[in-house]
Protein backbone atom coordinates (compact mmCIF):
# COMPACT_ATOMS: atom_id res chain seq x y z
CA UNK A 1 0.00 0.00 0.00
CA UNK A 2 1.22 3.53 -0.77
CA UNK A 3 -0.38 6.90 -0.18
CA UNK A 4 2.05 8.61 -2.57
CA UNK A 5 0.73 9.97 -5.86
CA UNK A 6 1.72 7.51 -8.68
CA UNK A 7 3.25 10.36 -10.68
CA UNK A 8 5.48 11.33 -7.75
CA UNK A 9 6.44 7.69 -7.17
CA UNK A 10 7.49 7.38 -10.83
CA UNK A 11 9.42 10.65 -10.62
CA UNK A 12 11.42 9.52 -7.58
CA UNK A 13 12.06 6.08 -9.07
CA UNK A 14 13.51 7.53 -12.29
CA UNK A 15 16.00 9.67 -10.38
CA UNK A 16 16.95 6.91 -7.94
CA UNK A 17 17.37 4.27 -10.65
CA UNK A 18 18.91 6.69 -13.15
CA UNK A 19 16.66 5.67 -16.05
CA UNK A 20 13.07 5.21 -17.16
CA UNK A 21 13.75 1.50 -17.75
CA UNK A 22 15.09 1.08 -14.21
CA UNK A 23 12.09 2.88 -12.75
CA UNK A 24 9.74 0.71 -14.82
CA UNK A 25 11.39 -2.45 -13.53
CA UNK A 26 11.18 -1.28 -9.93
CA UNK A 27 7.52 -0.28 -10.15
CA UNK A 28 6.49 -3.23 -12.37
CA UNK A 29 5.33 -0.90 -15.16
CA UNK A 30 6.34 -0.31 -18.75
CA UNK A 31 8.83 2.46 -19.63
CA UNK A 32 6.00 4.05 -21.64
CA UNK A 33 3.79 4.22 -18.54
CA UNK A 34 6.63 5.82 -16.56
CA UNK A 35 7.19 8.36 -19.33
CA UNK A 36 3.51 9.23 -19.41
CA UNK A 37 3.43 9.79 -15.65
CA UNK A 38 6.49 12.03 -15.73
CA UNK A 39 5.11 14.02 -18.67
CA UNK A 40 1.77 14.48 -16.88
CA UNK A 41 3.57 15.65 -13.72
CA UNK A 42 5.72 18.12 -15.66
CA UNK A 43 2.66 19.44 -17.50
CA UNK A 44 0.81 19.85 -14.22
CA UNK A 45 3.66 21.77 -12.56
CA UNK A 46 4.68 23.65 -15.72
CA UNK A 47 8.33 22.68 -15.20
CA UNK A 48 10.82 20.29 -16.75
CA UNK A 49 11.76 18.06 -13.79
CA UNK A 50 14.07 15.44 -15.28
CA UNK A 51 16.92 15.79 -17.78
CA UNK A 52 16.66 12.81 -20.13
CA UNK A 53 20.28 11.71 -20.18
CA UNK A 54 22.37 8.79 -18.94
CA UNK A 55 21.88 8.69 -16.04
CA UNK A 56 18.73 10.79 -15.72
CA UNK A 57 19.24 13.80 -13.45
CA UNK A 58 16.96 16.35 -11.86
CA UNK A 59 16.64 19.94 -12.97
CA UNK A 60 16.74 22.57 -10.18
CA UNK A 61 12.94 22.34 -10.02
CA UNK A 62 13.23 18.55 -9.92
CA UNK A 63 15.72 18.71 -7.04
CA UNK A 64 13.29 20.85 -5.06
CA UNK A 65 10.46 18.42 -5.73
CA UNK A 66 12.61 15.37 -4.92
CA UNK A 67 13.42 16.76 -1.46
CA UNK A 68 9.71 17.09 -0.76
CA UNK A 69 8.93 13.63 -2.16
CA UNK A 70 11.62 12.00 -0.03
CA UNK A 71 10.23 13.64 3.08
CA UNK A 72 6.69 12.56 2.17
CA UNK A 73 7.86 8.98 1.66
CA UNK A 74 9.55 8.89 5.05
CA UNK A 75 6.51 10.29 6.84
CA UNK A 76 4.23 7.98 4.87
CA UNK A 77 6.21 4.94 6.04
CA UNK A 78 5.95 6.07 9.66
CA UNK A 79 2.24 6.84 9.34
CA UNK A 80 1.39 3.47 7.84
CA UNK A 81 3.56 1.73 10.42
CA UNK A 82 1.46 3.34 13.14
CA UNK A 83 -1.56 1.66 11.55
CA UNK A 84 0.34 -1.63 11.19
CA UNK A 85 0.26 -1.39 7.39
CA UNK A 86 3.32 -2.18 5.27
CA UNK A 87 4.31 0.84 3.18
CA UNK A 88 4.97 -1.07 -0.05
CA UNK A 89 4.86 -4.58 -1.42
CA UNK A 90 8.65 -4.76 -1.26
CA UNK A 91 8.80 -3.98 2.46
CA UNK A 92 9.97 -0.97 4.46
CA UNK A 93 11.38 2.02 2.61
CA UNK A 94 15.15 2.39 2.75
CA UNK A 95 16.85 5.36 4.42
CA UNK A 96 19.21 7.14 2.03
CA UNK A 97 22.40 8.39 3.70
CA UNK A 98 25.59 9.94 2.29
CA UNK A 99 28.84 8.96 4.02
CA UNK A 100 32.54 9.38 3.37
CA UNK A 101 34.45 6.22 2.50
CA UNK A 102 36.68 6.27 5.60
CA UNK A 103 33.72 6.42 7.97
CA UNK A 104 32.09 3.60 6.00
CA UNK A 105 35.26 1.52 6.42
CA UNK A 106 35.55 2.15 10.17
CA UNK A 107 32.80 3.16 12.62
CA UNK A 108 29.67 3.73 10.49
CA UNK A 109 28.45 0.24 9.55
CA UNK A 110 28.04 -0.87 13.17
CA UNK A 111 25.30 1.76 13.59
CA UNK A 112 23.45 0.54 10.49
CA UNK A 113 23.70 -3.08 11.61
CA UNK A 114 22.26 -2.18 15.01
CA UNK A 115 19.40 -0.22 13.43
CA UNK A 116 18.59 -3.09 11.09
CA UNK A 117 18.67 -5.60 13.93
CA UNK A 118 16.50 -3.58 16.32
CA UNK A 119 14.16 -1.80 13.90
CA UNK A 120 14.36 -3.68 10.60
CA UNK A 121 15.58 -0.56 8.80
CA UNK A 122 16.96 -0.78 5.27
CA UNK A 123 19.61 1.63 3.98
CA UNK A 124 20.63 3.15 0.67
CA UNK A 125 24.19 4.32 1.35
CA UNK A 126 25.82 6.77 -1.07
CA UNK A 127 29.61 7.20 -0.77
CA UNK A 128 30.75 10.80 -1.11
CA UNK A 129 33.70 12.85 0.13
CA UNK A 130 33.01 14.52 3.48
CA UNK A 131 33.58 17.96 1.93
CA UNK A 132 30.95 17.33 -0.76
CA UNK A 133 28.32 15.06 0.83
CA UNK A 134 25.99 17.97 1.60
CA UNK A 135 25.45 18.32 -2.17
CA UNK A 136 23.36 15.14 -1.95
CA UNK A 137 21.25 16.73 0.78
CA UNK A 138 20.66 19.80 -1.37
CA UNK A 139 19.54 17.84 -4.41
CA UNK A 140 17.22 15.61 -2.39
CA UNK A 141 19.11 12.35 -2.96
CA UNK A 142 19.56 11.57 0.73
CA UNK A 143 17.81 12.15 4.06
CA UNK A 144 21.06 12.74 5.93
CA UNK A 145 24.80 12.99 5.40
CA UNK A 146 28.07 12.51 7.25
CA UNK A 147 29.93 15.71 6.42
CA UNK A 148 32.86 17.89 7.41
CA UNK A 149 30.70 20.99 6.96
CA UNK A 150 29.32 22.47 10.16
CA UNK A 151 27.05 25.06 8.55
CA UNK A 152 23.61 23.51 8.05
CA UNK A 153 22.15 23.11 4.61
CA UNK A 154 18.90 25.07 4.37
CA UNK A 155 16.14 23.06 6.02
CA UNK A 156 18.57 20.75 7.84
CA UNK A 157 19.77 20.19 11.41
CA UNK A 158 23.39 19.49 12.41
CA UNK A 159 24.96 17.48 15.21
CA UNK A 160 28.70 17.12 15.77
CA UNK A 161 29.81 13.50 15.76
CA UNK A 162 33.49 13.72 16.63
CA UNK A 163 36.89 13.99 15.00
CA UNK A 164 38.56 11.59 12.58
CA UNK A 165 42.33 11.85 12.88
CA UNK A 166 44.49 11.20 9.81
CA UNK A 167 48.18 10.35 9.92
CA UNK A 168 50.68 10.65 7.04
CA UNK A 169 52.02 7.12 6.54
CA UNK A 170 54.10 4.93 4.25
CA UNK A 171 56.00 1.67 4.42
CA UNK A 172 59.28 1.76 6.41
CA UNK A 173 61.29 1.07 3.25
CA UNK A 174 59.48 3.86 1.42
CA UNK A 175 60.17 6.29 4.25
CA UNK A 176 63.87 5.34 4.28
CA UNK A 177 64.11 5.78 0.51
CA UNK A 178 62.19 9.03 0.09
CA UNK A 179 62.22 10.82 3.44
CA UNK A 180 65.65 9.98 4.86
CA UNK A 181 66.42 13.71 5.06
CA UNK A 182 63.04 14.67 6.41
CA UNK A 183 59.62 15.72 5.17
CA UNK A 184 59.91 19.03 3.35
CA UNK A 185 59.12 20.70 0.05
CA UNK A 186 62.00 18.96 -1.70
CA UNK A 187 60.96 15.44 -0.65
CA UNK A 188 57.20 15.95 -0.92
CA UNK A 189 57.50 17.47 -4.38
CA UNK A 190 59.04 14.38 -5.96
CA UNK A 191 57.68 11.51 -3.84
CA UNK A 192 54.71 9.43 -5.07
CA UNK A 193 51.48 10.19 -3.21
CA UNK A 194 48.23 8.24 -2.87
CA UNK A 195 44.98 10.17 -3.41
CA UNK A 196 41.54 8.61 -2.92
CA UNK A 197 39.91 10.52 -5.79
CA UNK A 198 39.90 13.99 -7.31
CA UNK A 199 37.79 15.35 -4.45
CA UNK A 200 40.25 14.15 -1.81
CA UNK A 201 42.10 17.18 -0.42
CA UNK A 202 43.68 15.64 2.69
CA UNK A 203 47.13 15.04 1.20
CA UNK A 204 47.20 18.58 -0.16
CA UNK A 205 46.17 19.94 3.23
CA UNK A 206 49.06 18.06 4.84
CA UNK A 207 51.51 19.37 2.26
CA UNK A 208 50.23 22.89 2.91
CA UNK A 209 50.75 22.40 6.65
CA UNK A 210 54.41 21.50 6.02
CA UNK A 211 55.32 23.89 3.23
CA UNK A 212 53.76 26.81 1.38
CA UNK A 213 55.44 25.73 -1.86
CA UNK A 214 53.35 24.88 -4.93
CA UNK A 215 54.14 21.23 -5.56
CA UNK A 216 53.19 18.75 -8.26
CA UNK A 217 54.12 15.31 -6.88
CA UNK A 218 53.48 12.10 -8.81
CA UNK A 219 50.13 10.60 -7.76
CA UNK A 220 48.18 7.37 -7.71
CA UNK A 221 44.37 7.58 -7.54
CA UNK A 222 43.10 4.66 -5.46
CA UNK A 223 39.39 4.94 -4.53
CA UNK A 224 39.15 2.33 -1.76
CA UNK A 225 39.88 2.92 1.93
CA UNK A 226 41.27 -0.58 2.49
CA UNK A 227 43.24 -0.59 -0.78
CA UNK A 228 44.51 2.88 0.13
CA UNK A 229 46.15 1.57 3.30
CA UNK A 230 47.33 -1.59 1.55
CA UNK A 231 48.86 0.43 -1.29
CA UNK A 232 50.83 2.53 1.19
CA UNK A 233 52.04 -0.63 2.97
CA UNK A 234 53.16 -2.08 -0.37
CA UNK A 235 55.26 0.98 -1.16
CA UNK A 236 53.10 2.66 -3.80
CA UNK A 237 53.31 6.03 -2.06
CA UNK A 238 52.60 7.93 1.12
CA UNK A 239 49.02 8.68 2.18
CA UNK A 240 46.82 10.27 4.83
CA UNK A 241 45.07 7.33 6.51
CA UNK A 242 42.53 7.20 9.37
CA UNK A 243 44.14 6.56 12.72
CA UNK A 244 41.62 3.81 13.47
CA UNK A 245 42.82 1.79 10.46
CA UNK A 246 46.50 1.92 11.43
CA UNK A 247 46.74 0.02 14.71
CA UNK A 248 47.45 -3.36 13.10
CA UNK A 249 49.78 -2.08 10.30
CA UNK A 250 51.78 -0.13 12.90
CA UNK A 251 51.99 -3.17 15.19
CA UNK A 252 53.07 -5.40 12.30
CA UNK A 253 55.60 -2.86 11.08
CA UNK A 254 54.12 -2.58 7.57
CA UNK A 255 53.41 1.14 7.97
CA UNK A 256 54.96 4.02 9.88
CA UNK A 257 54.37 7.75 10.14
CA UNK A 258 56.44 9.79 7.70
CA UNK A 259 56.32 12.79 10.06
CA UNK A 260 55.88 11.66 13.69
CA UNK A 261 53.88 14.18 15.72
CA UNK A 262 52.02 15.54 12.71
CA UNK A 263 48.41 14.77 11.82
CA UNK A 264 45.20 16.26 10.48
CA UNK A 265 41.97 16.25 12.47
CA UNK A 266 38.75 16.30 10.44
CA UNK A 267 35.60 17.15 12.44
CA UNK A 268 32.59 15.16 11.25
CA UNK A 269 28.95 16.18 11.51
CA UNK A 270 25.59 14.52 10.93
CA UNK A 271 23.26 16.73 8.88
CA UNK A 272 19.68 15.65 8.27
CA UNK A 273 16.41 17.18 7.22
CA UNK A 274 14.60 19.15 9.92
CA UNK A 275 11.34 17.24 9.94
CA UNK A 276 9.52 15.57 12.82
CA UNK A 277 10.45 11.98 12.04
CA UNK A 278 10.83 9.09 14.44
CA UNK A 279 13.03 7.34 11.89
CA UNK A 280 15.49 10.23 11.66
CA UNK A 281 15.54 10.59 15.45
CA UNK A 282 16.36 6.89 15.84
CA UNK A 283 19.06 7.00 13.15
CA UNK A 284 20.57 10.12 14.73
CA UNK A 285 20.78 8.50 18.17
CA UNK A 286 22.46 5.40 16.73
CA UNK A 287 25.02 7.42 14.77
CA UNK A 288 25.89 9.57 17.79
CA UNK A 289 26.47 6.42 19.86
CA UNK A 290 28.63 4.76 17.19
CA UNK A 291 30.60 7.96 16.69
CA UNK A 292 31.36 8.21 20.42
CA UNK A 293 32.87 4.75 20.20
CA UNK A 294 34.67 5.13 16.87
CA UNK A 295 35.79 8.77 16.67
CA UNK A 296 37.79 11.09 18.87
CA UNK A 297 35.81 13.39 21.12
CA UNK A 298 34.69 16.67 19.53
Amino acid sequence: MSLLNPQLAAFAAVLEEGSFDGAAQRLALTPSAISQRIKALEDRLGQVLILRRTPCTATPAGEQLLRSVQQMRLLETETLKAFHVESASTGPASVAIAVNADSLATWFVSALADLHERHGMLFDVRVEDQDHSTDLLRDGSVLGAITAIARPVQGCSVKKLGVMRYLPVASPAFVARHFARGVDAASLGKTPMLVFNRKDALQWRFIHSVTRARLAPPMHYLPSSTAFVEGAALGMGWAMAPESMLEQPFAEGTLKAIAPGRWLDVPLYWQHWSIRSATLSTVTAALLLAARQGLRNP
Side-chain angles (χ1 to χ4, degrees):
M1 177 180 179
S2 177
L3 303 178
L4 194 64
N5 180 294
Q7 294 174 358
L8 295 178
F11 164 76
V14 169
L15 293 177
E16 290 167 357
E17 299 298 329
S19 70
F20 283 67
D21 288 343
Q25 183 175 4
R26 186 210 279 193
L27 298 178
L29 298 169
T30 65
S32 176
I34 295 292
S35 181
Q36 291 172 16
R37 291 184 182 188
I38 299 302
K39 181 64 167 58
L41 181 62
E42 290 178 329
D43 288 346
R44 183 179 182 185
L45 297 180
Q47 299 269 4
V48 175
L49 301 172
I50 294 177
L51 298 175
R52 277 71 163 172
R53 55 174 60 161
T54 304
C56 292
T57 57
T59 65
E63 291 177 358
Q64 181 179 355
L65 179 61
L66 183 61
R67 287 193 294 271
S68 297
V69 172
Q70 294 282 41
Q71 293 179 23
M72 285 189 283
R73 289 167 69 180
L74 179 61
L75 296 176
E76 174 199 61
T77 299
E78 295 179 1
T79 300
L80 292 177
K81 184 178 180 180
F83 286 91
H84 307 288
V85 177
E86 197 170 78
S87 63
S89 60
T90 55
S94 61
V95 180
I97 299 175
V99 61
N100 59 309
D102 291 332
S103 289
L104 186 62
T106 52
W107 63 273
F108 182 76
V109 174
S110 64
L112 303 192
D114 181 62
L115 288 166
H116 176 70
E117 176 68 23
R118 291 191 295 116
H119 303 284
M121 290 185 185
L122 301 178
F123 296 94
D124 180 0
V125 176
R126 319 285 179 92
V127 177
E128 183 56 278
D129 184 87
Q130 63 269 8
D131 293 322
H132 299 269
S133 55
T134 53
D135 293 342
L136 298 182
L137 270 175
R138 291 188 182 90
D139 69 18
S141 298
V142 298
L143 301 171
I146 306 298
T147 175
I149 299 173
R151 184 176 180 178
V153 172
Q154 184 176 3
C156 291
S157 299
V158 180
K159 292 189 181 298
K160 191 165 186 177
L161 294 170
V163 170
M164 180 168 281
R165 176 163 292 182
Y166 288 83
L167 304 179
V169 298
S171 70
F174 188 94
V175 174
R177 182 164 65 253
H178 294 281
F179 297 115
R181 297 185 178 181
V183 176
D184 53 23
S187 59
L188 289 171
K190 62 184 180 182
T191 300
M193 179 174 79
L194 297 181
V195 181
F196 188 86
N197 60 25
R198 284 161 179 80
K199 295 179 180 179
D200 178 12
L202 288 175
Q203 284 69 220
W204 298 110
R205 286 174 54 188
F206 176 76
I207 288 175
H208 183 73
S209 74
V210 173
T211 173
R212 303 289 179 174
R214 299 183 65 178
L215 306 179
M219 290 181 290
H220 300 286
Y221 290 102
L222 200 58
S224 163
S225 295
T226 53
F228 205 69
V229 173
E230 182 181 5
L234 292 174
M236 291 181 66
W238 71 273
M240 299 298 296
E243 176 185 49
S244 57
M245 297 182 70
L246 297 174
E247 183 176 352
Q248 183 174 346
F250 279 1
E252 294 174 349
T254 57
L255 284 174
K256 65 180 295 185
I258 68 171
R262 284 185 175 270
W263 58 78
L264 289 178
D265 282 346
V266 177
L268 293 179
Y269 303 86
W270 166 240
Q271 290 209 32
H272 63 85
W273 292 342
S274 297
I275 58 176
R276 295 177 64 86
S277 163
T279 298
L280 281 178
S281 296
T282 301
V283 170
T284 297
L287 291 178
L288 289 172
L289 177 61
R292 285 198 296 270
Q293 297 169 347
L295 297 174
R296 285 179 170 264
N297 291 331

